[in-house]
């Protein structure tokens, strides 16, 4: 569709090539590594391997969301070209970027009253948010107009499931999400927390599972419990990972065996530098379409 663009933030954690191939526009978050500023630009300024190695070696990280002035500067050229905009934001449950985008929308709607500017709270993150964008690109390419696309994503966004596990509790302790004592005992007992995103887009711990092997099996069991059409699931499945590709590959192999009607192979992406600044290395996330998240 030539009369509108679909857009998101770099925190949708797809590759630069994927965004370009699907004609999905994006704006970059920011992060600091030992005080040095970078754009969260999909591994272009600093490779993911270098970023996670620096974290493992003790580097300090800090993130910064896109502000309203940046959104105004980003949206304006599209509007000047006569394009309408559907922009989907990182979940309001973990970031304030949705509010910044809405402030920019209100400013620009006064300047461009003839244009449509839709801002959507994805209630998602990482490549789950990316799977939402990829699906929107499919619908756009199938001829869906911006009004119907906006209605579709608002109706279905909570059907996108996000399940995460981590094999390294270091950065959960560092970020204050678990206590030092809990982190010590969890590490000693080889606890791998299993989390998901709730219906408010917040990351919620669900289970404490001993050993990597068991949590890998358990995350696939969650997909079996929640995937649309069960074992006959024929949608796409994305995974993102932070410096633990072999763990992600193990999950992908189990998924492909359990769901023979998948739409293509499981796509494995890297967790980007914004979300990775909080998870650290050792996190695997699994994303698929399923029943509606209600809690």
């Amino acid at each position: 569709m030539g009369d509108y663009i679909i857009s998101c933030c770099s925190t949708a954690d797809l590759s630069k090539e994927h965004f370009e191939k699907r004609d999905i526009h994006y704006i970059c978050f920011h992060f600091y590594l030992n005080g040095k500023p970078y754009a969260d630009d999909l591994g272009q300024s600093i490779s993911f391997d270098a970023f996670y190695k620096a974290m493992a070696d003790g580097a300090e990280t800090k993130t910064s969301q896109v502000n309203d002035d940046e959104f105004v500067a980003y949206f304006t050229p599209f509007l000047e070209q006569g394009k309408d905009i559907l922009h989907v934001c990182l979940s309001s449950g973990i970031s304030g970027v949705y509010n910044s985008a809405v402030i920019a929308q209100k400013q620009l709607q006064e300047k461009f009253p003839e244009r449509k500017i839709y801002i959507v709270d994805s209630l998602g993150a990482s490549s789950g948010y990316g799977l939402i964008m990829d699906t929107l690109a499919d619908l756009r390419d199938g001829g869906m107009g911006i009004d119907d696309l906006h209605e579709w994503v608002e109706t279905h966004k909570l059907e996108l499931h996000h399940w995460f596990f981590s094999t390294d509790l270091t950065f959960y302790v560092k970020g204050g999400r678990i206590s030092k004592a809990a982190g010590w005992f969890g590490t000693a007992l080889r606890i791998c927390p299993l989390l998901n995103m709730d219906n408010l887009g917040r990351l919620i711990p669900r289970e404490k599972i001993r050993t990597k092997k068991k949590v890998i099996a358990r995350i696939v069991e969650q997909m079996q419990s929640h995937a649309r059409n069960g074992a006959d699931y024929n949608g796409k499945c994305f995974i993102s990972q932070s410096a633990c590709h072999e763990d992600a590959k193990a999950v992908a192999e189990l998924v492909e065996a359990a769901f023979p009607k998948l739409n293509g192979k499981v796509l494995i992406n890297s967790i980007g530098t914004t979300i990775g600044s909080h998870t650290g290395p050792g996190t695997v996330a699994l994303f698929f379409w399923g029943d509606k998240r209600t809690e």
Side-chain angles (χ1 to χ4, degrees):
M1 300 293 289
D3 57 346
Y4 71 92
I5 64 115
I6 59 173
S7 171
C8 61
C9 304
S10 58
T11 44
D13 287 351
L14 300 178
S15 68
K16 182 174 184 287
E17 294 74 21
H18 192 136
F19 281 128
E20 291 174 352
K21 181 179 179 181
R22 299 311 315 273
D23 192 21
I24 300 169
H25 298 267
Y26 61 91
I27 184 170
C28 295
F29 268 56
H30 319 280
F31 71 97
Y32 297 83
L33 188 64
N34 284 333
K36 182 179 178 180
Y38 293 87
D40 177 10
D41 56 4
L42 316 175
Q44 304 302 300
S45 296
I46 180 173
S47 72
F48 296 124
D49 287 344
F51 172 75
Y52 286 114
K53 183 179 186 305
M55 288 192 77
D57 290 343
E60 293 294 326
T61 59
K62 182 180 177 182
T63 59
S64 174
Q65 68 187 36
V66 183
N67 63 41
D68 52 285
D69 289 337
E70 290 174 303
F71 272 120
V72 168
Y74 169 68
F75 289 147
T76 296
F78 299 119
L79 299 169
E80 290 176 340
Q81 295 164 19
K83 303 279 189 180
D84 295 330
I85 297 170
L86 174 64
H87 182 83
V88 185
C89 292
L90 178 66
S91 174
S92 62
I94 58 175
S95 169
V97 71
Y98 172 73
N99 292 330
S100 297
V102 169
I103 291 170
Q105 173 200 37
K106 290 177 179 177
Q107 293 179 21
L108 290 168
Q109 206 70 78
E110 293 181 3
K111 187 176 180 181
F112 299 93
E114 74 285 3
R115 299 265 60 88
K116 296 174 181 176
I117 310 170
Y118 290 121
I119 307 297
V120 175
D121 181 355
S122 71
L123 299 176
S126 194
S127 300
Y129 170 23
L131 182 49
I132 290 175
M133 297 309 303
D134 188 79
T135 304
L136 293 180
D138 286 338
L139 295 169
R140 176 206 59 202
D141 294 349
M144 187 176 285
I146 191 171
D147 297 325
D148 289 339
L149 197 66
H150 175 241
E151 182 178 355
W152 188 94
V153 68
E154 291 289 10
T155 301
H156 294 285
K157 62 189 181 184
L158 283 176
E159 295 166 16
L160 200 292
H161 279 252
H162 303 60
W163 288 90
F164 300 72
F165 70 78
S166 182
T167 58
D168 186 344
L169 302 181
T170 303
F171 295 91
Y172 291 82
V173 173
K174 197 171 184 179
R177 286 181 291 280
I178 62 175
S179 69
K180 288 183 178 180
W184 187 89
F185 282 111
T187 299
L189 295 173
R190 295 187 294 163
I191 296 293
C192 300
L194 180 66
L195 312 90
N196 79 338
M197 295 203 84
D198 70 1
N199 60 323
L200 299 179
R202 302 171 301 185
L203 194 56
I204 306 295
R206 299 297 187 183
E207 299 180 51
K208 297 176 182 177
I209 299 173
R210 288 191 65 182
T211 78
K212 182 194 298 186
K213 183 177 180 179
K214 288 181 180 178
V215 79
I216 286 173
R218 183 62 178 146
I219 200 171
V220 178
E221 288 173 2
Q222 291 293 353
M223 184 171 176
Q224 291 171 315
S225 295
H226 294 285
R228 183 182 295 163
N229 301 320
D232 290 328
Y233 178 70
N234 61 358
K236 295 179 182 178
C237 178
F238 287 0
I239 287 175
S240 58
Q241 55 81 34
S242 55
C244 52
H245 190 272
E246 290 304 310
D247 295 342
K249 185 178 176 183
V251 174
E253 289 173 352
L254 288 178
V255 168
E256 289 169 0
F259 299 93
K261 297 182 180 180
L262 272 180
N263 182 351
K265 292 285 189 179
V266 174
L267 179 66
I268 300 177
N269 301 291
S270 289
I271 294 175
T273 48
T274 294
I275 295 171
S277 291
H278 301 283
T279 68
T283 295
V284 175
L286 175 65
F287 310 103
F288 56 91
W289 291 102
D291 51 6
K292 190 169 184 177
R293 288 148 46 197
T294 57
E295 59 179 17

